[in-house]
Amino acid sequence: MNKINVTPKDDALCGWFLTAPARQAKPAHSGEKKARWAVVGAGFTGLAAARQLALNFPGDEVVLIDAQEVGFGTSGRNAGFAIDLPHDIGADDYIGDIAIARTTLKLNRMGQSILQSQVEAHGIDCHLRASGKYQAAVEDRGIAVLAAYRRGLDKLGEAYEVIPGKDLPDDIGTSFYRQALFTPGTMLVQPAALVKGLADSLPANVTLYENTAITGVEYGAQVVLTHGQGRIIADQLVLANNAFGARFGFLKHTVLPMYLYASLSRPLTDAEQAQLGGKPFWGVIPADPFGSTVRRTHDNRILMRNSFSFNPGQQSKPHCLRRFQENHRLSFQRRFPMLPDVGFDYTWSGSLALTQNHRGFFGQLAPNVHGALFCNGLGVTRGTVTGTLLADMIAGKRHELLDFLLATSGPNTLPPEPFLSVGVNARLWWGQRQAGMES
C-alpha cells in the first residue's frame, strides 16, 4: 500500500469559485465501488479524460474522483487564459524549434476547440470569449522580451499587433505600460464556472465523486484506491491530479509545486467604469514572467495576479496570502490610480505544477496506470487536450499529436533537498526583485 499523507486543501476565498454560478456538488463516495476505469482529479485534465473514456467505452462505467468540490481546486484558480500560442521561455525568441512550436500550436488550438464545442453544446455559462491577449511591458527588460517574441511570431507566421503605450488606454484604460503585443488567438474565461459546467455535462456513464480524498493506493492486477469512507477498485487508473500525481508513487522528485496568488476586486460602479475607460473585457499577461497578470472581467471586476511561493508540502500558506495581498494592492494602485477607492473582495492562492525542463508527463506509468500530469501553467488548454488524447491512446487510437506527446514527455529529476528549496527560493526572490515595476 502506497500511503498518501498529503491531499489537496486549498484556501477558502477563491473569487472565481465564489462568483461562479452555484451548483450542487455530487456526493462523496462511501463503501466499496468496482469499475473498469477510475480517474483521479476532476480538473481540466481529468474531466477531459473521463469524458473521452466514456465516449470511447460507452458500455463501461468511468469513476471520476476529486478530493474537493469541482472548481474549488487548481483548475478554478488560474487567471482564465486559454492560450493558443507556444511560449518557450528557454528559447531566445520564445518560440525555439519551429517544428515543435507548430505542433504545440496544434495541441493548444485543439484544446481550445474541445472547450468551445463543450461550452456551446451544453450552454455552459462561463463567459468564454475569443478576446485575444495583451502581453505588456513597462521595464526595459520587458520591452526586450516583446521584441524577441515578435521575432519568434514572425518565424512562426502568426499575427500580432504592436500597440504603443500612448494608445493602450483606448484598449485597457490604464496608461501604465510602455508597450503591448496583442495576439488575437487567446480565449478568456471564468475558469471555475467552466469547470463546474464541464462537470455537470459529463456523459451518463461517468460517476463523479467529490470531496473524496484518496489516502492510499495499492497496485496490482487491479488498482485499489482507499479513502476515509471506503475504497474504489478499478481495472485501470488514470492520474490527472497534476502535482499530486507524484504522491501516488510515480515521478518522484520531478515536480515543483509552486503557488501563485490572485485578488479580485469588487465590481466597478458605472462612474468608475467611465473613469477607467477602455474595452469592457480584456486580459494582460506580463512580459516578465514575474510580473502581474491583469484582467477586466465580464462583471466589471479587476483581477490582479502576481507573487510566487514554493510550497513543497503542497498546502496553502495563510501568511503568504496576507503578505501578497499587499503586493496586489500596490500593483493595482500603479496601474489604476483613477480607481483609488476600489478594494478587493477576494484573495486566494492556486498551485502550478512546474518542471525544470518545462515538460509534463504523458503516457503509461505502470501496466494498468496512465497519466497526464504537470501542465507547467497551461492547464486550461494543455490539460484539456492531453486528457482527451490520453483517453484516445488507451482506446488504441492513433494521432500525430499522440506521437508528439509521447516523444516529448518526461520531466527531469530535481536536485535533492536542501539544495532544491534554497535554489528555488533564491530564484523566486531574485526574479520578483528584477521584475521591478512589472510586478
Side-chain angles (χ1 to χ4, degrees):
M1 174 72 72
N2 184 80
K3 291 185 178 180
I4 300 165
N5 298 317
V6 178
T7 58
K9 190 177 181 181
D10 286 296
D11 45 68
L13 294 180
C14 176
W16 289 133
F17 181 82
L18 294 169
T19 60
R23 62 177 286 274
Q24 182 63 50
K26 301 296 184 182
H29 177 258
S30 63
E32 182 170 294
K33 175 78 173 181
K34 293 184 177 180
R36 186 177 179 193
W37 306 101
V39 180
V40 174
F44 286 112
T45 308
L47 287 163
R51 184 184 300 274
Q52 196 69 4
L53 281 171
L55 296 176
N56 287 338
F57 302 95
D60 294 342
E61 181 182 15
V62 179
V63 173
L64 177 60
I65 309 133
D66 201 273
Q68 303 181 112
E69 190 173 333
V70 167
F72 189 73
T74 298
S75 288
R77 290 172 176 263
N78 60 69
F81 287 70
I83 296 175
D84 60 334
L85 294 171
H87 192 80
D88 181 0
I89 61 174
D92 291 340
D93 60 1
Y94 292 84
I95 293 298
D97 182 276
I98 192 66
I100 291 176
R102 285 180 175 143
T103 307
T104 299
L105 187 64
K106 288 182 183 178
L107 275 170
N108 294 343
R109 287 180 173 164
M110 181 178 177
Q112 287 183 325
S113 178
I114 292 168
L115 289 172
Q116 188 167 27
S117 67
Q118 294 300 325
V119 168
E120 292 172 356
H122 301 290
I124 298 173
D125 181 15
C126 64
H127 307 281
L128 181 69
R129 302 182 189 179
S131 302
K133 66 171 170 58
Y134 300 85
Q135 188 164 6
V138 64
E139 300 275 12
D140 289 343
R141 292 176 71 249
I143 298 294
V145 167
L146 296 186
Y149 199 32
R150 290 202 308 271
R151 293 192 297 271
L153 292 174
D154 286 337
K155 185 169 69 173
L156 194 58
E158 288 296 315
Y160 62 82
E161 179 185 358
V162 178
I163 305 175
K166 64 181 178 63
D167 295 333
L168 276 171
D170 292 337
D171 289 60
I172 60 174
T174 176
S175 59
F176 173 77
Y177 299 100
R178 289 168 55 194
Q179 188 183 94
L181 187 67
F182 178 78
T183 48
T186 292
M187 295 178 175
L188 297 177
V189 68
Q190 211 282 26
L194 174 56
V195 176
K196 290 181 180 185
L198 292 170
D200 284 343
S201 59
L202 289 165
N205 57 325
V206 177
T207 302
L208 170 62
Y209 295 112
E210 298 178 62
N211 296 307
T212 303
I214 302 302
T215 56
V217 58
E218 185 175 350
Y219 301 108
Q222 292 179 305
V223 178
V224 181
L225 301 167
T226 60
H227 57 86
Q229 302 299 319
R231 63 181 192 162
I232 297 166
I233 303 169
D235 294 334
Q236 299 280 333
L237 172 66
V238 172
L239 291 179
N241 50 350
N242 221 9
F244 281 94
R247 299 277 176 181
F248 281 67
F250 303 101
L251 305 167
K252 293 182 178 180
H253 311 299
T254 62
V255 63
L256 295 164
M258 309 296 296
Y259 278 60
L260 188 52
Y261 296 78
S263 288
L264 192 63
S265 79
R266 65 162 171 80
L268 305 182
T269 65
D270 290 345
E272 287 166 342
Q273 292 175 47
Q275 188 69 27
L276 173 61
K279 297 177 180 178
F281 190 82
W282 48 258
V284 172
I285 66 169
D288 189 299
F290 288 94
S292 293
T293 295
V294 191
R295 278 191 59 183
R296 182 174 176 180
T297 67
H298 66 282
D299 53 352
N300 288 301
R301 299 175 187 264
I302 302 294
L303 174 81
M304 186 66 60
R305 190 180 192 226
N306 62 41
S307 304
F308 291 81
S309 66
F310 178 45
N311 298 20
Q314 294 179 257
Q315 299 293 296
S316 174
K317 295 181 177 181
H319 71 281
C320 287
L321 278 175
R322 293 189 294 270
R323 186 172 83 223
F324 293 145
Q325 185 183 60
E326 183 58 28
N327 290 358
H328 298 160
R329 292 190 188 282
L330 292 172
S331 299
F332 185 97
Q333 290 165 6
R334 290 190 195 113
R335 289 161 176 79
F336 306 109
M338 75 293 288
L339 303 174
D341 300 321
V342 177
F344 295 129
D345 279 350
Y346 310 99
T347 297
W348 68 94
S349 65
S351 67
L352 295 170
L354 302 182
T355 60
Q356 193 175 40
N357 62 353
H358 311 296
R359 291 186 177 187
F361 178 85
F362 178 92
Q364 189 168 8
L365 291 159
N368 52 353
V369 183
H370 313 269
L373 302 164
F374 316 153
C375 289
N376 285 282
L378 295 173
V380 179
T381 49
R382 188 57 63 89
T384 297
V385 72
T386 55
T388 301
L389 289 174
L390 186 68
D392 282 347
M393 184 196 77
I394 292 168
K397 297 181 179 179
R398 302 306 307 165
H399 193 288
E400 64 169 335
L401 295 179
L402 269 175
D403 296 335
F404 172 80
L405 286 170
L406 290 168
T408 58
S409 172
N412 55 8
T413 302
L414 296 168
E417 292 288 10
F419 305 104
L420 177 63
S421 290
V422 170
V424 172
N425 286 319
R427 177 70 184 99
L428 291 180
W429 178 84
W430 181 242
Q432 291 176 106
R433 183 180 177 86
Q434 272 192 312
M437 295 290 286
E438 304 271 1
S439 65

